[in-house]
Amino acid sequence: MKGGARLAGDVAVGGAKNSALKLMAVALLAEGRSVVANVPRITDIAIMGEVLRRLGCDVELKGNEAIIDVPAEPGAEADYDLVRRLRASICVLGPLLARRGFVRVALPGGDMIGSRGLDMHVSGLARMGAEISNEHGFVIASAPQGLRGSKIWLDFPSVGATENLLMAAVLARGVTEIDNAAREPEIVDICDMLTAMGARIEGAGTSTLIVEGVDGPLKPVQHTTVGDRIVGGTWAYAAAMTRGDVTVHGVRPEFLDIALDKLVQAGATVEPGDNKFRVRMTERPKSVDIVTLPYPGFATDLLPMALGLAAVAEGSSLITENIFDGRFMFVNEMVRLGADIRTDGHHAVVNGRDRLSGAPVRATDIRAGAGLVIAGLCADGVTEVGEVHHIDRGYPDFVSDLANLGVEVERTDVPEPTFDF
């Protein structure tokens, strides 16, 4: 990838990875055929499809649709060989427990960006009457008498815990109240699909979700996934960093209010529209301080892009990460590109430079990989980003989108080095 590019043009963003994966799990709650549309063409979707197949579902990934036929009695075990590759597959825990009364799910793997325990999932389900144990690397949960409604307080507005408890609660007896629930647009998306299936949910998009369990079976539906705000935010920051002019289609700008406001503070012009927005930057960005927080705060998944913006901005920026304790793992790779970054705990002080310098770097997770590519656009010379399979997990058609926006970029397979002994 050759640096010095100015991004210009239009880019279309597909469905949110963090929503589509969970919507596929929502389908488990209703016997019959559900269709999840606007699904991104990424590896994680294929893995989730295989998770569902092993649970007895018939899954067809066709274009941007996931067509899921759910049997009367889906399986109750998710194996380690798939769950370790896709942390999101833990979200089958709630719906399977609600439908089958028993579930055995391997403890997940996932990105190396910090500790993400399942304590809130487990304690919330226990309050709903589940008996839960951890044996031989599996979470084993049973509710032979069915789940019952309960009042649950989350210590942190965890997206994953909110999703699992929400999916379990729709078939529980009585009313479940989830306080300090996550408020992300992806949570609202799940609530919309569940409501269309016949669930009774109040408070979607607020910190309190009230779920009245239904007696009868839910019905399969067709649902369109919400646009991916993180991919949209990545293109917004790329436009600002390269002093470009990019219109992003397929994402509602209100989902990125704080992130886009930070770009305005940095000197960009942002024009919101109907499910689209335009970002223009003519001068070098000004430094801005950024703090990640649960939604509607600045998204932790956009932190690598915030660091990239700070690295080429005029002045010094303080970037604070409050969600994942390992999010700064990739900073050494940014330093290889010439960025002046010093970290201390969950703070990073970044002294902006006019240009970065191309170098070989390595992606450590999805967002770090995208952030390194965008930073490479602001570097002199050529930047090689390795281990791009991480990027593939969140950004379909990333290389072609970059090329369409004016970047000189190619993807190559690099052979493993061999050594003589």
Side-chain angles (χ1 to χ4, degrees):
M1 176 180 62
K2 192 173 181 181
R6 175 183 179 271
L7 296 192
D10 293 69
V11 63
V13 173
K17 154 184 151 25
N18 290 336
S19 189
L21 292 167
K22 316 304 173 60
L23 296 172
M24 291 172 71
V26 168
L28 288 167
L29 287 163
E31 180 184 356
R33 172 172 291 189
S34 286
V35 179
V36 182
N38 198 27
V39 166
R41 297 184 306 277
I42 55 176
T43 310
D44 283 11
I45 294 293
I47 297 173
M48 191 62 169
E50 185 58 29
V51 170
L52 296 181
R53 286 189 193 100
R54 294 195 192 179
L55 292 170
C57 302
D58 184 10
V59 181
E60 182 183 3
L61 302 177
K62 186 176 180 181
N64 69 345
E65 288 187 339
I67 303 164
I68 306 164
D69 284 290
V70 180
E73 284 202 1
E77 181 167 324
D79 295 328
Y80 176 67
D81 64 320
L82 287 176
V83 176
R84 70 181 175 84
R85 297 175 59 195
L86 180 65
R87 184 182 174 84
S89 53
I90 194 66
C91 67
V92 302
L93 179 63
L96 286 179
L97 182 60
R99 275 205 70 193
R100 294 295 314 277
F102 174 83
V103 63
R104 191 169 182 264
V105 180
L107 290 166
D111 291 334
M112 295 187 299
I113 53 173
S115 130
R116 298 194 283 186
L118 298 177
D119 291 356
M120 285 181 283
H121 303 241
V122 168
S123 61
L125 291 172
R127 287 189 66 83
M128 295 170 69
E131 297 175 3
I132 303 176
S133 60
N134 179 351
E135 297 175 17
H136 308 295
F138 282 83
V139 176
I140 301 171
S142 63
Q145 306 303 316
L147 296 172
R148 61 176 183 271
S150 180
K151 184 162 184 174
I152 300 168
W153 168 265
L154 298 180
D155 292 334
F156 177 84
S158 160
V159 172
T162 300
E163 291 164 342
N164 251 328
L165 297 174
L166 178 62
M167 288 187 275
V170 295
L171 293 180
R173 296 189 310 277
V175 175
T176 299
E177 181 177 324
I178 306 172
D179 283 326
N180 201 27
R183 300 163 57 186
E184 275 76 358
E186 295 80 16
I187 297 288
V188 178
D189 205 19
I190 290 171
C191 289
D192 287 345
M193 181 169 172
L194 286 169
T195 300
M197 295 169 78
R200 297 170 186 160
I201 302 169
E202 294 178 11
T206 75
S207 58
T208 302
L209 290 171
I210 298 175
V211 186
E212 183 183 348
V214 296
D215 292 331
L218 299 180
K219 63 179 184 292
V221 296
Q222 176 157 343
H223 180 84
T224 300
T225 310
V226 71
D228 197 316
R229 62 195 169 94
I230 304 302
V231 174
T234 300
W235 292 123
Y237 274 68
M241 289 167 62
T242 62
R243 306 178 201 183
D245 183 351
V246 175
T247 301
V248 179
H249 300 266
V251 179
R252 291 166 58 179
E254 59 266 33
F255 292 164
L256 288 162
D257 270 348
I258 290 181
L260 294 177
D261 184 61
K262 289 296 181 181
L263 292 182
V264 172
Q265 292 178 37
T269 300
V270 176
E271 300 172 12
D274 182 15
N275 208 37
K276 66 178 181 179
F277 57 87
R278 180 183 182 186
V279 176
R280 287 180 292 156
M281 179 75 91
T282 56
E283 306 292 334
R284 183 181 175 189
K286 302 181 188 72
S287 61
V288 290
D289 295 338
I290 291 175
V291 177
T292 67
L293 288 168
Y295 189 85
F298 191 96
T300 179
D301 280 354
L302 287 176
L303 180 128
M305 296 70 189
L307 280 171
L309 180 74
V312 297
E314 189 175 348
S316 298
S317 305
L318 177 63
I319 311 294
T320 303
E321 167 59 30
N322 287 314
I323 311 299
F324 291 131
D325 52 18
R327 184 62 89 177
F328 286 140
M329 281 179 60
F330 80 105
V331 163
N332 286 342
E333 302 301 303
M334 286 284 287
V335 171
R336 285 180 56 77
L337 294 175
D340 182 352
I341 306 174
R342 288 172 174 78
T343 60
D344 181 8
H346 58 113
H347 301 288
V349 176
V350 189
N351 297 310
R353 291 181 169 169
D354 187 47
R355 301 293 298 172
L356 301 177
S357 57
V361 292
R362 179 178 63 90
T364 55
D365 64 68
I366 300 170
R367 311 305 172 185
L372 289 167
V373 170
I374 301 307
L377 300 179
C378 304
D380 294 325
V382 174
T383 296
E384 296 176 6
V385 180
E387 302 197 31
V388 294
H389 62 276
H390 288 294
I391 302 175
D392 293 339
R393 290 183 52 215
Y395 296 83
D397 307 317
F398 197 47
V399 170
S400 59
D401 285 338
L402 285 167
N404 290 336
L405 292 171
V407 179
E408 196 174 319
V409 58
E410 65 175 338
R411 178 170 179 150
T412 59
D413 291 323
V414 180
E416 290 289 327
T418 57
F419 301 97
D420 293 326
F421 290 94

